[in-house]
């Protein structure tokens, strides 16, 4: 269901837990679907002994994709016009992530009502793992 | 990534991609539901464009015949000494949707280099950033998706708290 301009105001928030206790299997699924087979995400032996990390960690794009799930649940299907993020901290197996969209602006461009959103995903310790923005078409 | 990659968009790939995000939204798998919805058909999730690497014959993060793979096999890395560095990490990703991708689209992705810059970091030493811009045109020559990625090479592994 699409959002309506008359129901929104700056500061409104939508929040969802997008992954609970991230599994290594989920990392394998994302590797297979996306085609990013970087061993940093599935190969603990390489990641510990060669790359020097505590173990495998999530693809940035998996975290962005999970964040996008929250966005499409909020703004509706096919409504996004822009979505961008910076990856600020790594995401590890066992993490539980919460994604939040906050309304920053409502505007009309070429007759189309739009909502601008600030986007953030945090882990169970409250650290931000992804921060960014999105814009979506809304009804007016 | 090759400069130009042909990417067919298929329903089963969209379904698997959505599953890999634990996204149960029927818009990604149920054609009957999608036909009655606002989009009129199955569409791809917002970050699907990055899966273009599946279709790049030269993609460096996929094991290929006749080439040594840097992940573990008998040894922690399949490459000869010296072992490779930590390689690259993903710093930023941006999407601009001109329209949403759907099954049956025959996309042509072209990429071009963007900016490069450096930054000193406490947790990973000198960071070298590289931007790449990817444009996806559909079977009618229309620009449907613009994607911008920023990769970072760290001097050392990122320190953990």
């Amino acid at each position: 269901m699409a959002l309506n301009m008359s129901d929104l105001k700056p500061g409104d928030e939508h929040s969802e837990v997008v992954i609970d206790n991230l599994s290594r299997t989920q990392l394998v699924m994302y590797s297979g679907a996306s085609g990013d087979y970087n061993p940093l995400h599935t190969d603990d032996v390489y990641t510990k002994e060669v790359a020097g990390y505590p173990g495998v960690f999530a693809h940035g794009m998996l975290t962005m994709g999970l964040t996008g799930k929250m966005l499409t649940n909020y703004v509706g299907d096919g409504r996004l016009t822009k979505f961008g993020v910076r990856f600020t901290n790594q995401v590890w197996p066992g993490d539980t992530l919460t994604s939040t969209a906050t309304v920053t602006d409502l505007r009309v461009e070429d007759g189309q009502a739009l909502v601008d959103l600030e986007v953030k995903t945090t882990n169970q310790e409250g650290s931000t793992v992804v921060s960014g923005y999105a814009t979506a078409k809304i009804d007016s | 990534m090759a400069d130009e990659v042909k990417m067919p968009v298929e329903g089963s790939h969209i379904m698997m991609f959505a599953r890999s995000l634990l996204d149960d939204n029927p818009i990604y798998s149920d054609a009957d539901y999608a036909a009655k919805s606002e989009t009129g058909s199955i569409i791809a999730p917002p970050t699907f464009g990055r899966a273009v690497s599946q279709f790049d014959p030269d993609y460096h993060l996929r094991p290929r015949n006749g080439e040594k793979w840097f992940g573990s096999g008998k040894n922690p890395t399949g490459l000869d000494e010296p072992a490779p560095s930590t390689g690259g990490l993903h710093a930023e990703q941006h999407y601009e949707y001109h329209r949403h991708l759907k099954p049956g689209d025959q996309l042509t992705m072209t990429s071009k280099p963007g900016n490069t810059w450096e930054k000193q970091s406490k947790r990973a030493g000198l960071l070298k950033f590289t931007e790449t811009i990817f444009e996806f045109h559909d079977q009618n020559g229309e620009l449907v998706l613009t994607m911008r990625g920023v990769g970072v090479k760290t001097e050392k592994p990122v320190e953990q708290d």
Side-chain angles (χ1 to χ4, degrees):
Chain A
M1 192 60 80
L3 296 172
N4 193 294
M5 193 167 221
S6 59
D7 300 332
L8 294 171
K9 58 182 186 306
D12 284 357
E13 266 189 22
H14 172 82
S15 204
E16 285 180 25
V17 173
V18 291
I19 195 86
D20 179 14
N21 188 13
L22 175 66
S23 68
R24 289 169 180 79
T25 306
Q26 201 70 40
L27 304 189
V28 171
M29 287 173 77
Y30 189 77
S31 295
S34 69
D36 179 349
Y37 299 99
N38 192 330
L40 289 174
H41 308 307
T42 55
D43 184 340
D44 240 19
V45 175
Y46 167 86
T47 306
K48 284 179 179 160
E49 297 186 27
V50 181
Y53 286 100
V56 294
F57 54 93
H59 314 66
M61 287 306 300
L62 171 55
T63 309
M64 186 179 189
L66 293 168
T67 305
K69 173 170 66 169
M70 174 279 295
L71 276 177
T72 49
N73 286 344
Y74 184 40
V75 305
D77 300 323
R79 291 274 178 158
L80 283 176
T81 62
K82 281 182 189 166
F83 176 27
V85 299
R86 288 177 61 199
F87 303 105
T88 53
N89 273 299
Q90 282 158 289
V91 170
W92 304 93
D95 279 358
T96 292
L97 302 181
T98 303
S99 295
T100 304
T102 306
V103 175
T104 56
D105 198 15
L106 297 158
R107 57 198 171 88
V108 177
E109 196 176 287
D110 299 329
Q112 173 64 57
L114 298 168
V115 60
D116 291 320
L117 301 165
E118 182 185 286
V119 174
K120 191 165 80 165
T121 296
T122 55
N123 65 18
Q124 64 284 354
E125 284 151 11
S127 297
T128 301
V129 295
V130 149
S131 67
Y133 60 87
T135 299
K137 293 177 185 176
I138 53 175
D139 293 343
S140 56
Chain B
M1 189 78 73
D3 295 341
E4 183 175 308
V5 174
K6 302 275 187 195
M7 177 181 186
V9 179
E10 293 168 353
S12 53
H13 190 193
I14 290 174
M15 181 194 73
M16 287 190 284
F17 193 90
R19 278 185 183 166
S20 80
L21 303 174
L22 289 181
D23 193 335
D24 296 329
N25 188 336
I27 200 71
Y28 304 131
S29 57
D30 185 336
D32 295 333
Y33 167 88
K36 291 180 207 139
S37 78
E38 182 179 83
T39 61
S41 76
I42 287 175
I43 58 170
T47 58
F48 185 76
R50 200 64 189 75
V52 67
S53 46
Q54 293 280 17
F55 304 94
D56 180 355
D58 304 323
Y59 191 54
H60 66 292
L61 295 176
R62 178 179 68 240
R64 281 173 289 151
N65 270 323
E67 289 188 23
K68 289 184 175 173
W69 174 240
F70 66 103
S72 68
K74 190 172 183 181
N75 299 312
T77 176
L79 297 185
D80 300 329
E81 297 298 321
S85 75
T86 56
L89 296 175
H90 204 162
E92 296 178 35
Q93 184 79 9
H94 306 267
Y95 288 89
E96 197 172 338
Y97 310 100
H98 311 293
R99 80 160 165 79
H100 287 269
L101 308 177
K102 56 180 195 289
D105 278 340
Q106 300 287 336
L107 305 177
T108 302
M109 186 284 292
T110 51
S111 71
K112 58 188 178 190
N115 295 324
T116 59
W117 65 96
E118 293 184 356
K119 190 176 146 187
Q120 196 66 37
S121 124
K122 280 187 192 152
R123 290 167 64 200
L126 182 68
L127 307 179
K128 294 185 176 181
F129 292 90
T130 309
E131 181 185 55
T132 311
I133 295 147
F134 307 83
E135 290 185 335
F136 295 76
H137 288 83
D138 71 4
Q139 51 281 6
N140 302 316
E142 301 267 342
L143 179 65
V144 291
L145 175 66
T146 307
M147 184 170 88
R148 187 160 59 84
V150 177
V152 58
K153 291 230 173 188
T154 62
E155 191 177 3
K156 55 181 183 166
V158 182
E159 279 176 22
Q160 305 304 317
D161 298 331

